[in-house]
Amino acid sequence: MISITEKTLQDLQFPTVLETIASICNTDLGKQKAIVIKPFQDKVPLMASLYQTSEYLSSFQNNNAIPNHGFDTIAHEIRFLAIENSFLEVGSFRKIATISETVNLLLTYFKKFEDYYPYLSSKASEVELTKEIIKKVDEVVDKYGEIKDNASPDLLNIRRDMNVVRGKVNQSFGMALTQYISLGYLDEIKESFVQNRRVLAVLAMYRRKVKGSILGSSKTGSIAYIEPETTLKYSRELSNLEYEEKEEITRILKQLSNEIRPYLPLIIQYQEFLSDIDVIAAKAKYATRINGILPQITEERRLYFRDAYHPILYLNNKQKNEITHPQTIELHQENRIIVISGPNAGGKTISLKTVGLLQLMLQSGMLIPVHERSETFLFDRILTDIGDNQSIENHLSTYSYRLKNMNYFLKKCNKKTMFLIDEFGTGSDPELGGALAEIFLEEFYHREAFGIITTHYSNLKILANELPFATNANMMFDEKSLEPMYKLALGQAGSSFTFEVAQKNGIPFGLINRAKKKIEVGKVRFDKTIATLQKERSKMEKTSQILKVEETKAREESQKMETINVKIKQKLESYQELYDSNQKLIYIGQKIDDLAGKYFNNKNKKELLGEFLKIIEIENSKRIKTSAKEIKIIKEKKKEIIEEVTVKVEAIRVAKKEKKLKANLVVEKPKPLLKVGDRVRMYDGKSIGTIDKIEKNKAIVNYGIFTSTVSLEVLEFVENLKK
């Protein structure tokens, strides 16, 4: 059961996405549904919703466009039909018939194109197709929303009589009009309408000379509006007929309401279906705006968002014609937690929010702006601690509030949880808060939860480096301008650039030096090392960009020199083959060198021969068909390597014998205690390296070009670390 709190929705700005989708909906009911979208609690309806949106999105690119689904809300009509003996106005029936026609059109369409839209067709199949509602309404109401004359025999007779009487009214009025025009009793306008009745516009001085009923006068009183006496009789008869017509229409509407009332559940279902389609269409249109797709959803615990965009930021920047930088983030069982560090305003929070919001959108049935090769799985919970966490209404400080939040995290956090924490550990004493944050992070780690946090605390960066399944990351900065590059780099912690930024902003160098002296030297060195590494990474990034530009230029030139380019490519391919061949031989040589070292330690010939044969078998399994010349070269190289290994093994064996003889004759000198940084070499070896790390009885020795793991017992001390 998926459970995501309202706080998480607010922290990740999910309501902003819903507002945009609601604004795209065509109907009021669709807008109401869109604004209250929540993450699905079960996977089956979620997947159905995602596929429906994806299918609707595909309809924009093919010739089978989905028909219009717009409709006028009939909530008022539904409420009235639910009341016994109530009846609807004639316009309401036209709205009901229109909705029924729209639904029938969609149901027919989805049935026809079921192969194109299987999930939308499945949704449509749940709704009954019937023409009875349309038929019953069409018998009574015309396409303009008026009651038809033949809606009942009585209504037909009444309207015929009304037409006859209207003719008599007009005839008698025409005669009176001609008479009084000739007498000069009428104003220039001659006639008008008062109380929906035709009247003569008689000059006030002649009103007593005109026989009839005065129905009103002009504002100035200069005109009296009189209905002629000859017309009065017919007008009264017409009024009586109009009353009878109204009564008959009321009877017809009541009868039609009673005939439609049994279809009320279906009409409700029609409105729900159309409003659901409206929301699906809005989500598809929103996906078009943000370039959203449906990534692969797996059962495997892996989240891989490649070239992911924050949708709100993307649309805002698009409106301003500004660039939005995508991020690529991966979490899996062996890399469960990412600790993002670096200066403020570098994009740490946006990177964190991007992952959370996209996962939230996906679990709410929306498509997301990522590369098509992205994939993820479904979390039961998404826990967030982002932004200003001061609780004014509860009178809690930022730190107290965050502690309460962490307590909630500890209760709910498990392997199906993703947690997102911004500025982890802040709000208290740096040392104490950092220590507590470290414990929280360890707890989340041991519970196998997935998470991303941002921090400035060095101890959390160090912890992320020490935990096998956690990774440091930083937002890259330009080393000269100290401007953010808005690019997330995994595998390395970020420096806060505290002193560099202070110096850039004009803080005197002397004050910066005094500040450095006030804090632990280790922290400064740690931050400085990270800053240096970030600068190096930034240089490499710039170099890479320059190379890309150069590559583009080279491609443009290559179009003009196609013939020469083909020859160059052929040469490059031959060089590449030779290089790959040499690299392969070097790799085999290194493997054999490692075996020689291993043999030196354990003197196990059987194991040595077994490992050697294993290498040969592996290489043979990867071997491709080669030319006779290549086979000859490889055989010669192998022969050289085997001879070299034989010589080394024999030399080690002789050295061991000599060492035993010397040990019997001479008292062995005490062996110096080796430590990190010492310059050493293997006994009877020539290459000198530096110890980078010591673990148990083994040391990692750096020879400059490569590193090697060697037993401490076979290492000979050369000199101390040069300072």
Side-chain angles (χ1 to χ4, degrees):
M1 182 70 72
I2 297 169
S3 174
I4 297 173
T5 65
E6 188 64 32
K7 179 185 181 304
T8 295
L9 302 180
Q10 294 293 334
D11 282 351
L12 296 173
Q13 297 176 278
F14 188 64
T16 305
V17 173
L18 298 186
E19 287 169 10
T20 306
I21 293 174
S23 69
I24 303 173
C25 289
N26 294 329
T27 66
D28 292 337
L29 192 57
K31 293 179 192 295
Q32 292 170 21
K33 284 188 172 183
I35 208 72
V36 294
I37 290 174
K38 290 285 188 293
F40 284 84
Q41 293 189 335
D42 297 305
K43 185 176 179 180
V44 174
L46 167 60
M47 296 308 298
S49 177
L50 285 170
Y51 285 126
Q52 286 162 11
T53 307
S54 185
E55 286 175 1
Y56 205 108
L57 178 64
S58 69
S59 73
F60 298 150
Q61 279 84 42
N62 59 40
N63 296 323
N64 302 314
I66 295 173
N68 172 53
H69 55 266
F71 68 97
D72 291 328
T73 302
I74 54 170
H76 168 80
E77 287 74 13
I78 289 170
R79 282 197 300 272
F80 264 77
L81 278 177
I83 301 170
E84 284 295 326
N85 299 323
S86 64
F87 68 94
L88 300 177
E89 295 299 325
V90 63
S92 295
F93 287 109
R94 191 71 268 159
K95 285 165 69 176
I96 289 172
T98 302
I99 275 187
S100 185
E101 288 170 354
T102 303
V103 171
N104 284 349
L105 180 63
L106 281 169
L107 297 183
T108 306
Y109 172 85
F110 284 129
K111 188 173 182 180
K112 181 179 179 181
F113 294 103
E114 186 175 1
D115 292 342
Y116 287 92
Y117 311 112
Y119 284 88
L120 286 170
S121 298
S122 176
K123 183 176 182 63
S125 67
E126 298 170 1
V127 182
E128 180 188 348
L129 188 151
T130 178
K131 295 184 179 178
E132 285 301 311
I133 296 173
I134 301 168
K135 182 181 175 183
K136 290 182 183 297
V137 173
D138 283 347
E139 286 174 354
V140 174
V141 184
D142 64 19
K143 62 182 179 180
Y144 303 109
E146 299 292 336
I147 298 292
K148 291 182 177 179
D149 292 345
N150 59 356
S152 75
D154 288 347
L155 182 64
L156 183 62
N157 292 331
I158 290 169
R159 285 186 172 174
R160 281 174 180 171
D161 292 345
M162 286 173 68
N163 287 334
V164 171
V165 173
R166 280 195 188 101
K168 290 179 180 179
V169 168
N170 289 335
Q171 185 181 7
S172 61
F173 186 87
M175 291 173 63
L177 181 67
T178 305
Q179 178 188 351
Y180 291 118
I181 286 174
S182 63
L183 292 173
Y185 292 170
L186 303 184
D187 184 65
E188 289 180 359
I189 63 172
K190 294 182 176 57
E191 63 175 291
S192 184
F193 277 90
V194 176
Q195 299 171 15
N196 204 27
R197 292 162 76 172
R198 199 175 176 190
V199 292
L200 297 170
V202 181
L203 293 170
M205 64 183 76
Y206 301 119
R207 68 178 181 274
R208 297 186 184 278
K209 294 184 178 182
V210 177
K211 293 181 180 180
S213 174
I214 299 176
L215 298 182
S217 62
S218 63
K219 289 181 180 179
T220 59
S222 60
I223 301 172
Y225 298 117
I226 301 173
E227 186 177 19
E229 187 178 42
T230 52
T231 307
L232 277 170
K233 180 178 72 171
Y234 298 121
S235 294
R236 291 191 190 99
E237 188 177 349
L238 183 61
S239 295
N240 291 335
L241 287 170
E242 285 175 346
Y243 177 78
E244 289 178 18
E245 179 195 33
K246 185 179 178 182
E247 288 294 306
E248 180 61 16
I249 287 174
T250 300
R251 188 194 68 77
I252 291 169
L253 291 176
K254 284 182 178 179
Q255 181 181 338
L256 183 58
S257 296
N258 289 332
E259 290 176 358
I260 295 294
R261 190 169 279 113
Y263 294 97
L264 179 59
L266 186 60
I267 292 169
I268 293 171
Q269 191 181 18
Y270 279 178
Q271 180 167 257
E272 287 297 310
F273 173 71
L274 289 179
S275 59
D276 286 346
I277 294 293
D278 190 26
V279 174
I280 292 168
K283 289 194 288 187
K285 291 171 187 173
Y286 181 71
T288 303
R289 292 186 185 182
I290 63 173
N291 301 317
I293 63 158
L294 174 58
Q296 184 180 356
I297 296 178
T298 65
E299 294 297 327
E300 180 188 354
R301 278 166 49 82
R302 183 180 185 233
L303 181 150
Y304 175 55
F305 286 157
R306 176 178 167 186
D307 295 338
Y309 289 87
H310 191 286
I312 301 170
L313 183 65
Y314 175 78
L315 291 179
N316 288 342
N317 285 347
K318 190 177 179 182
Q319 201 170 6
K320 300 174 190 173
N321 291 322
E322 294 178 0
I323 297 172
T324 306
H325 301 273
Q327 304 296 344
T328 297
I329 295 178
E330 181 177 12
L331 294 170
H332 51 81
Q333 190 61 30
E334 296 183 355
N335 181 36
R336 298 194 294 268
I337 296 173
I338 295 176
V339 177
I340 306 176
S341 49
N344 292 329
K348 299 195 301 294
T349 304
I350 285 294
S351 296
L352 178 139
K353 282 187 174 182
T354 299
V355 176
L357 180 57
L358 295 188
Q359 187 69 28
L360 203 55
M361 287 170 61
L362 194 68
Q363 294 195 200
S364 302
M366 302 174 200
L367 308 184
I368 58 175
V370 294
H371 190 276
E372 59 187 8
R373 291 187 180 176
S374 299
E375 64 179 65
T376 187
F377 69 105
L378 303 179
F379 292 95
D380 283 358
R381 287 189 183 86
I382 300 175
L383 304 174
T384 58
D385 190 354
I386 301 171
D388 183 7
N389 295 300
Q390 190 154 6
S391 177
I392 297 170
E393 63 274 16
N394 294 324
H395 306 288
L396 294 174
S397 68
T398 300
Y399 192 58
S400 297
Y401 186 85
R402 300 199 80 162
L403 284 177
K404 285 192 73 176
N405 214 22
M406 286 303 102
N407 189 36
Y408 178 77
F409 278 31
L410 291 172
K411 289 178 182 176
K412 302 294 183 182
C413 201
N414 57 36
K415 65 189 301 183
K416 293 184 179 179
T417 302
M418 177 164 72
F419 64 90
L420 305 166
I421 307 174
D422 191 28
E423 298 297 345
F424 195 24
T426 55
S428 177
D429 176 89
E431 294 295 332
L432 304 180
L436 198 54
E438 192 173 332
I439 296 302
F440 288 146
L441 186 57
E442 285 178 348
E443 188 63 26
F444 300 151
Y445 176 85
H446 292 309
R447 294 190 186 186
E448 297 187 21
F450 280 28
I452 302 174
I453 70 168
T454 68
T455 187
H456 288 290
Y457 283 4
S458 297
N459 65 316
L460 296 180
K461 302 177 194 178
I462 294 168
L463 180 62
N465 191 50
E466 291 173 348
L467 294 173
F469 303 143
T471 307
N472 272 303
N474 72 88
M475 302 306 298
M476 297 181 68
F477 263 65
D478 187 283
E479 79 278 4
K480 291 182 180 177
S481 64
L482 289 178
E483 293 296 325
M485 296 169 70
Y486 301 105
K487 187 168 184 180
L488 184 68
L490 294 173
Q492 180 182 306
S495 166
S496 296
F497 285 100
T498 306
F499 297 122
E500 289 86 347
V501 173
Q503 191 172 344
K504 183 194 173 189
N505 285 279
I507 304 300
F509 190 69
L511 294 180
I512 293 171
N513 274 340
R514 284 169 59 189
K516 286 182 179 179
K517 290 174 183 177
K518 291 215 175 261
I519 61 173
E520 293 177 22
V521 176
K523 285 188 179 179
V524 177
R525 287 179 63 193
F526 181 74
D527 201 68
K528 186 177 180 182
T529 303
I530 293 173
T532 304
L533 288 170
Q534 279 189 258
K535 288 177 182 179
E536 290 299 322
R537 185 185 284 271
S538 179
K539 283 180 183 177
M540 290 175 68
E541 189 72 17
K542 279 194 171 183
T543 304
S544 176
Q545 289 174 358
I546 292 167
L547 287 172
K548 283 180 182 177
V549 172
E550 292 298 325
E551 184 184 3
T552 304
K553 289 179 181 177
R555 283 179 182 173
E556 291 173 358
E557 289 295 322
S558 69
Q559 291 176 357
K560 301 174 186 177
M561 306 172 68
E562 285 185 9
T563 308
I564 298 171
N565 189 38
V566 169
K567 292 179 181 178
I568 291 170
K569 280 185 179 179
Q570 287 173 349
K571 286 184 179 181
L572 284 174
E573 283 172 5
S574 64
Y575 287 143
Q576 185 64 45
E577 287 172 6
L578 182 60
Y579 173 77
D580 290 344
S581 176
N582 287 337
Q583 286 296 107
K584 183 179 178 183
L585 293 172
I586 290 167
Y587 169 75
I588 294 169
Q590 287 177 341
K591 280 273 189 181
I592 292 172
D593 186 56
D594 288 343
L595 285 179
K598 195 172 182 183
Y599 176 74
F600 179 79
N601 289 330
N602 57 26
K603 299 298 177 292
N604 191 331
K605 286 185 179 181
K606 187 176 180 181
E607 185 182 346
L608 174 67
L609 291 171
E611 291 290 335
F612 180 71
L613 287 171
K614 188 178 178 182
I615 291 169
I616 299 299
E617 287 172 0
I618 290 170
E619 291 305 315
N620 281 339
S621 68
K622 294 189 286 185
R623 187 178 301 279
I624 59 172
K625 194 173 180 180
T626 56
S627 65
K629 187 177 178 181
E630 288 172 333
I631 291 169
K632 186 177 178 182
I633 292 168
I634 292 168
K635 282 182 177 178
E636 288 175 357
K637 289 286 184 183
K638 277 189 178 179
K639 188 177 178 183
E640 289 175 10
I641 291 166
I642 292 167
E643 287 175 357
E644 185 182 343
V645 170
T646 306
V647 170
K648 281 190 176 182
V649 170
E650 184 61 28
I652 291 167
R653 189 175 63 79
V654 171
K656 188 178 178 185
K657 281 184 178 180
E658 289 177 356
K659 188 177 178 183
K660 282 183 178 180
L661 289 170
K662 287 179 182 178
N664 292 331
L665 297 171
V666 184
V667 178
E668 189 176 355
K669 293 181 181 179
K671 188 176 178 181
L673 184 64
L674 298 177
K675 58 184 182 296
V676 175
D678 285 349
R679 307 264 295 163
V680 294
R681 66 182 166 206
M682 291 176 64
Y683 287 115
D684 299 322
K686 294 180 181 179
S687 299
I688 297 175
T690 305
I691 296 177
D692 279 355
K693 192 173 183 182
I694 295 175
E695 291 180 346
K696 294 184 179 178
N697 293 324
K698 293 187 178 181
I700 298 174
V701 182
N702 189 335
Y703 289 100
I705 301 172
F706 64 94
T707 60
S708 177
T709 303
V710 185
S711 173
L712 287 171
E713 294 176 357
V714 300
L715 289 177
E716 180 182 9
F717 174 77
V718 177
E719 60 180 340
N720 289 322
L721 173 67
K722 291 181 180 179
K723 296 185 179 179

